[in-house]
Every structure is written in C-alpha cells, then in structure tokens.
Amino acid sequence: MPREQDRADARFPAMDDSDHQDGGPLPAGADQAHRLTADELAFLLRDPMLRAREAERAAKSNRSRTERRAADPAYAERLRAGDRERQRRRRLRDSIGRPEPPEPVAADLPDLTVAQAEARLTDHLDGSPSAQAAQLRGRPDRIRLYAEAFVAYRILSAGGVRPTRGALAALLKSRFGRTVTPSQIQKLRDHVEGFAMAGGPWAMESPHPSGTARTRSTRKADTDSHAPGPHDPESPVPDAG
C-alpha cells in the first residue's frame, strides 16, 4: 500500500524551471527580483554592538567639536566659513539655469567726511535714551569705527549697488587699517544702513514742499544675519581689533 507522502508526490509533482507557466525557462534575473542588495544585507547583519559604538563615537565627536568651538574663536570662525562656503556652493548649484537676481540697492548716504559722520553720530547718541546709545557713548573708538565704515560704504556704493562684505572689509583695512571678521563687517554694514534710515544721524535730507527739512531713506536696513537694528536696545555693538 503506497504511503501518504507518495500519494501526495504523485498528485503534486515537484516543479523546476522547465515547468514555468507555458513550459519555457524563467526570465533572466526573475529569481533576483526580491533579493536584498549587498548594502542592505550588510546593514541588517551588522553587529548591534558595533552600531552602538559608532553612535557613541559620533556623539563624542560632536561634543568635542562643540566644546572646542566655544573655547577657540579661530576654530569657530573656520567652521562658520566652511558653512558659508557650502551654502554658497549650494546656492550656486540651485541658481543654474535661473535668471540672475537683481543687484541689491545701496542705502542713500549724505556726503560726509569721517569727522562729520562721527559728529552726527555722537550728537544722535547723546540725545538717545536707548541702552545701545549709552553703551556707545562710552566707546569713542567704536563711534570712530562706525564713521569709518560709513565713509567706506559710501565710496563703494557710488554706483548705487550695495557693497559686499568682502569689499567693505578690504576698504576698511586698506584705508583705515581696520581688521574685522566677517560677522563684524556684517553688523557694521547693517548698522550703517540702519543709521541712514529716517530719523537716524546719517539719513539723507531733502527739501520738503513746505520749506522744512525732512529725512528719508531709500531702503530698510538689511537683516540677512538677523542682526537687530541700530536703534534696538538689544543690538550688539561690533568689536573689531
């Protein structure tokens, strides 16, 4: 008497590649459709302890970088410069094929010498109750730096285009012997433009139809770096060597 397994084998014979649907061979690669890639297999087969050690090393590296960044200003500046360069390259890639953006317009500044700009700013600070004004009143060297930045900005913006931070820093260095960091030059440029707004010490004056003088500003101070305006009590004063 045949065994149960023998009867089952007789009813359902084993299939091989020649039994595929119409009797033809399996398409090339059909048996690979649901197989994992080498990378997927390597990820799944990794030792859990190895993954934990890698995560611990990454966390330790991040902590060390954060601590060094806080303790070493030069290192922090290099990291920021690297971030800016990566952002610049990303913007450049994203801009391929797009029309050129319009050039930013410069703030409208009156024709003043360094001494005149300094005197106007000093008078303005003497009459201002803000915390920033009080801070600047005790720093005549900072007031002088602002006035020099005003003159450098005005020279570079003669064509109506807003000066770049690099050009502004270079002119401060060559003309006035000032060395400033990228973050300091950003704040200086923002404050020059802020002081040129209506009501500021460096606002342009134009004749009013009634005969009285009024101040105006052609643009709002730039806030790309999220630096507060020059009349904000919390606004930091850039410190350059």
Side-chain angles (χ1 to χ4, degrees):
M1 184 175 180
R3 293 178 304 170
E4 185 66 26
Q5 183 62 46
D6 294 337
R7 289 196 299 270
D9 292 343
R11 289 196 303 271
F12 305 105
M15 294 181 65
D16 56 23
D17 289 351
S18 63
D19 297 316
H20 173 65
Q21 293 183 355
D22 56 0
L26 285 170
D31 58 339
Q32 303 289 333
H34 301 292
R35 290 191 178 182
L36 296 174
T37 66
D39 289 341
E40 290 170 335
L41 281 171
F43 177 79
L44 292 174
L45 296 176
R46 279 194 313 169
D47 181 1
M49 294 298 295
L50 175 61
R51 293 200 298 268
R53 287 194 296 269
E54 289 176 350
E56 184 179 354
R57 282 197 298 269
K60 183 177 180 180
S61 177
N62 287 336
R63 286 195 300 271
S64 298
R65 185 166 55 250
T66 300
E67 292 170 359
R68 183 179 175 188
R69 185 169 188 162
D72 187 348
Y75 175 74
E77 184 58 37
R78 286 197 300 273
L79 290 181
R80 286 192 292 267
D83 289 341
R84 287 192 295 268
E85 179 60 22
R86 284 189 291 274
Q87 292 170 8
R88 186 192 68 81
R89 288 197 298 265
R90 185 177 65 252
R91 288 194 299 267
L92 185 61
R93 287 194 302 269
D94 294 342
S95 68
I96 294 175
R98 297 180 183 176
E100 288 291 328
E103 293 181 319
V105 180
D108 219 357
L109 300 179
D111 184 8
L112 302 174
T113 65
V114 172
Q116 290 170 334
E118 185 177 358
R120 281 200 188 187
L121 180 55
T122 299
D123 291 343
H124 173 81
L125 296 173
D126 287 343
S128 174
S130 73
Q132 186 217 20
Q135 181 186 16
L136 278 175
R137 280 196 295 269
R139 299 292 302 277
D141 56 324
R142 299 301 91 186
I143 297 175
R144 182 73 176 185
L145 173 60
Y146 273 59
E148 291 167 352
F150 165 91
V151 170
Y153 186 109
R154 189 175 185 280
I155 292 171
L156 294 170
S157 63
V161 177
R162 187 190 194 203
T164 65
R165 289 173 297 179
L168 196 57
L171 188 55
L172 279 173
K173 175 67 174 177
S174 63
R175 187 172 182 123
F176 302 107
R178 297 279 190 174
T179 300
V180 291
T181 66
S183 60
Q184 289 167 348
I185 199 64
Q186 173 71 61
K187 292 174 184 176
L188 279 172
R189 185 176 65 174
D190 289 346
H191 284 301
V192 167
E193 293 171 340
F195 283 131
M197 293 173 65
W202 297 331
M204 288 289 291
E205 295 182 355
S206 61
H208 192 272
S210 65
T212 59
R214 66 180 179 89
T215 59
R216 66 180 177 86
S217 176
T218 58
R219 67 185 301 277
K220 188 176 180 180
D222 176 78
T223 55
D224 289 345
S225 64
H226 304 288
H231 307 299
D232 187 335
E234 301 300 324
S235 177
V237 178
D239 195 1

